[in-house]
Amino acid sequence: MGLHRKALRTTTVGAVSATLVAGTALGLAPTAQAAPNPVRFVDITGDGGTVLKANVVTPADSDGTRRYPLLVMPTSWGLPQVEYLAQAQKLADSGYVVVTYNVRGFWQSGGEIEVAGPPDTADASKVIDWALANTPSDAGHIGMAGVSYGAGISLLTAARDKRVKAVASLSGWADLIGSIYSGRTQHVQAAAVLDGASLVTGRQSPEARQVFDDFYASNLAKEPELVAWGKKRSAVTYVDQINSNGAAVMLANAWGDTVFPPNQYADFYEKLTGPKRLEMRPGDHATAELTGLFGLPNDVWKDTERWFDHYLRGEDNGIDREQPIQLKSRSAGDYEGYPDWKSVAATERKIDLAGTTTIRTNVNSGADGGIVFLSSILDQVAQLPPMASIPLLPRRWAAVWQSEKYGTAQQVRGTAKLHTTLTPTKESGTLVAYLYDVGPLGLGKLVTNAPYTFHGRTPGKPFGVDLELYSTAYDVPAGHRLALVVDTVDPLYIEHNPSGGQLTFSSPPNDPSYVSVPLREQ
């Protein structure tokens, strides 16, 4: 635990610094451009009398004689109420009344941080009430949008408030536990980013503080409470209500999102039955939307406006006739359209994980998922994902399997899946699986990864492991090969390997081990 706490302190310092820089930059962004539409800074009474600090932007031609569609935008985690002002101006230019507000517990808004609990969705409904009473808003045409925390609150509100007819959920979550506790493994760097930012810019509720503490402590006795807490704050729990209410839902995320990985969004998308759209791009958490917050051209915000123009204003702009899934590869190329998620991976190619391999735990082999935010941003802007020299990885602590060299480029699309048989020497343990693109010199570029933790197993008794790696879109060049690497330590995650543990991977004849790689039809 000492090492965990030291890593947490280091990560938290970086997270807090990044949040302060981002908040300052975003605060300056609106001043760099003209503001032709009237902007008001107002106080809105939220749930239980909590005061929410808000901005109201109305169309320049608003004269009290007509009504406009309403957009409500809750702020991201740790960012101030001016976050969306540049986009609010653009949307007001297009004929929307836009109300952006600082969620409870952050900055000047009252209350405490509830982590998208019931008070947060109740606040959103109160903001809608206020806007209908105090602005020229049309009660029949209401939408919600947000980035990150605002995205999650928007989805949850669409489940609980039938007035919300359209949602754009950008870099958000639909499954909170599936995001920061996937594979039954704590995503410690992601949690530290959220924790550190909220300590600097807000006021945590006692419940939120306890959840963070229990999360870090790896107390299995608290696991059911943690899971129940997360489900209560996950839109997937209420997908039937969202479908019943009929809101048109647009989801956008980045392949390398280290806070809310893309798998959970894709799974949620498949459960939606109303109008829906899923967009995936290179980048990390909220980096795909960032330039748009400064008022610069941005694909995510452009499609967000098109989504609302069609579903709130009735504009025939063709977005409903486009393929509903739009993906952009991390490698290069234009957007690719698909009719549904299963069509993303037209075929699958298996890499056999033959033989029996034993590795020791508690040592980082050198195969890592990178650093929260930094690594995926480098991949986004320079196509430089985390790398490792595959021939030099120590086989004492890393299991390695490789494919043959591919004669043609392999367009990996979707979710790779690992199936293996594992025999541990301890009742608990953690493994992390990595899929690498390996060039002629043995240098591996990370394609995807995911952690897996087990508890309560009988030492020496084999059991099956099925693990979905994080969804991605990556082009493996001709002449390269794919490698699956498994080790037991990664700074992104809390590991649960008792000292001296060993993990043995085998491939029984009646249940062979493999990694299934999803490929685009070529």
Side-chain angles (χ1 to χ4, degrees):
M1 287 305 297
L3 290 176
H4 290 158
R5 294 184 186 279
K6 183 177 180 181
L8 275 174
R9 286 195 296 270
T10 303
T11 305
T12 300
V13 168
V16 171
S17 300
T19 300
L20 291 176
V21 170
T24 302
L26 291 170
L28 294 175
T31 66
Q33 54 188 314
N37 304 298
V39 181
R40 286 190 290 151
F41 291 84
V42 300
D43 289 350
I44 297 176
T45 302
D47 184 56
T50 298
V51 175
L52 307 173
K53 298 294 182 177
N55 308 324
V56 182
V57 188
T58 54
D61 63 356
S62 176
D63 58 7
T65 63
R66 56 173 294 194
R67 296 278 172 178
Y68 301 88
L70 169 65
L71 292 179
V72 172
M73 303 174 70
T75 53
S76 301
W77 184 274
L79 291 185
Q81 69 190 82
V82 295
E83 175 187 4
Y84 303 121
L85 202 50
Q87 283 301 320
Q89 289 286 350
K90 288 189 172 186
L91 291 163
D93 280 340
S94 298
Y96 294 92
V97 171
V98 185
V99 180
T100 75
Y101 70 96
N102 233 115
V103 291
R104 66 169 52 221
F106 283 103
W107 294 84
Q108 289 85 19
S109 284
E112 297 175 323
I113 299 168
E114 301 288 345
V115 196
D120 289 301
T121 53
D123 282 345
S125 291
K126 291 286 189 180
V127 172
I128 292 173
D129 293 341
W130 183 93
L132 293 177
N134 294 277
T135 71
S137 302
D138 184 344
H141 299 84
I142 298 173
M144 289 191 67
V147 175
S148 184
Y149 196 39
I153 291 174
S154 294
L155 277 180
L156 288 164
T157 305
R160 297 174 179 174
D161 194 325
K162 294 181 179 181
R163 295 174 297 179
V164 178
K165 304 300 183 185
V167 172
S169 182
L170 315 178
S171 289
W173 77 93
D175 183 346
L176 192 55
I177 294 301
S179 294
I180 63 173
Y181 194 55
S182 71
R184 211 177 174 187
T185 309
Q186 297 100 318
H187 298 209
V188 66
Q189 286 192 14
V193 166
L194 300 175
D195 189 8
S198 64
L199 289 171
V200 172
T201 64
R203 301 164 302 282
Q204 294 179 355
S205 67
E207 182 186 36
R209 182 66 260 157
Q210 188 62 53
V211 165
F212 276 117
D213 290 342
D214 291 341
F215 186 84
Y216 299 141
S218 303
N219 184 351
L220 283 179
K222 293 288 187 177
E223 186 180 48
E225 295 177 29
L226 175 67
V227 171
W229 176 89
K231 285 184 176 180
K232 190 176 182 180
R233 290 158 169 81
S234 298
V236 69
T237 303
Y238 313 103
V239 67
D240 290 342
Q241 291 95 307
I242 293 175
N243 289 333
S244 176
N245 292 346
V249 177
M250 172 180 156
L251 306 169
N253 203 1
W255 294 119
D257 195 319
T258 45
V259 180
F260 303 129
N263 299 46
Q264 46 94 31
Y265 248 17
D267 292 343
F268 177 67
Y269 172 87
E270 288 292 276
K271 293 179 173 65
L272 293 170
T273 58
K276 58 183 180 178
R277 182 179 177 93
L278 175 65
E279 300 186 355
M280 295 286 194
R281 299 173 174 83
D284 204 313
H285 184 63
T287 62
E289 299 87 2
L290 184 60
T291 57
L293 296 179
F294 292 88
L296 300 174
N298 181 280
D299 287 350
V300 187
W301 288 104
K302 180 181 71 175
D303 287 347
T304 294
E305 184 171 347
R306 293 175 63 224
W307 189 252
F308 288 133
D309 283 348
H310 179 74
Y311 287 103
L312 294 184
R313 299 175 62 200
E315 184 177 306
D316 185 14
N317 56 17
I319 197 167
D320 58 318
R321 296 189 294 275
E322 296 172 0
Q323 296 278 34
I325 294 182
Q326 294 289 320
L327 311 181
K328 192 168 187 178
S329 171
R330 290 164 47 204
S331 304
D334 296 325
Y335 287 94
E336 305 164 2
Y338 300 88
D340 49 42
W341 185 250
K342 68 175 183 245
S343 300
V344 172
T347 60
E348 293 184 349
R349 174 172 287 184
K350 289 184 177 180
I351 301 172
D352 293 330
L353 310 181
T356 299
T357 303
T358 298
I359 61 173
R360 291 161 175 80
T361 63
N362 307 114
V363 174
N364 189 340
S365 72
D368 282 332
I371 300 172
V372 65
F373 287 121
L374 178 60
S375 297
S376 291
I377 292 174
L378 284 174
D379 186 36
Q380 177 183 0
V381 301
Q383 294 182 16
L384 291 175
M387 300 182 190
S389 175
I390 304 304
L392 297 182
L393 289 176
R395 274 28 179 197
R396 183 182 180 90
W397 295 295
V400 180
W401 298 268
Q402 297 192 70
S403 72
E404 76 284 0
K405 287 184 180 179
Y406 296 117
T408 59
Q410 305 294 297
Q411 295 183 314
V412 179
R413 300 290 186 274
T415 309
K417 299 175 183 178
L418 167 66
H419 174 74
T420 190
T421 296
L422 175 62
T423 305
T425 59
K426 306 288 184 178
E427 66 172 15
S428 295
T430 297
L431 62 89
V432 185
Y434 310 87
L435 189 65
Y436 283 99
D437 161 24
V438 185
L441 299 180
L443 183 64
K445 294 183 176 181
L446 187 64
V447 177
T448 181
N449 76 295
Y452 177 89
T453 293
F454 60 90
H455 296 288
R457 293 291 178 174
T458 302
K461 183 177 181 180
F463 63 93
V465 171
D466 289 285
L467 174 63
E468 288 192 350
L469 279 64
Y470 300 139
S471 303
T472 194
Y474 183 97
D475 299 343
V476 179
H480 287 211
R481 65 180 79 220
L482 285 170
L484 181 79
V485 177
V486 179
D487 72 1
T488 64
V489 177
D490 189 311
L492 285 173
Y493 313 111
I494 289 180
E495 50 99 359
H496 298 261
N497 295 298
S499 179
Q502 297 183 25
L503 303 179
T504 297
F505 302 92
S506 58
S507 184
N510 62 339
D511 186 19
S513 296
Y514 61 86
V515 60
S516 177
V517 180
L519 300 174
R520 182 188 183 195
E521 185 174 3
Q522 297 175 269

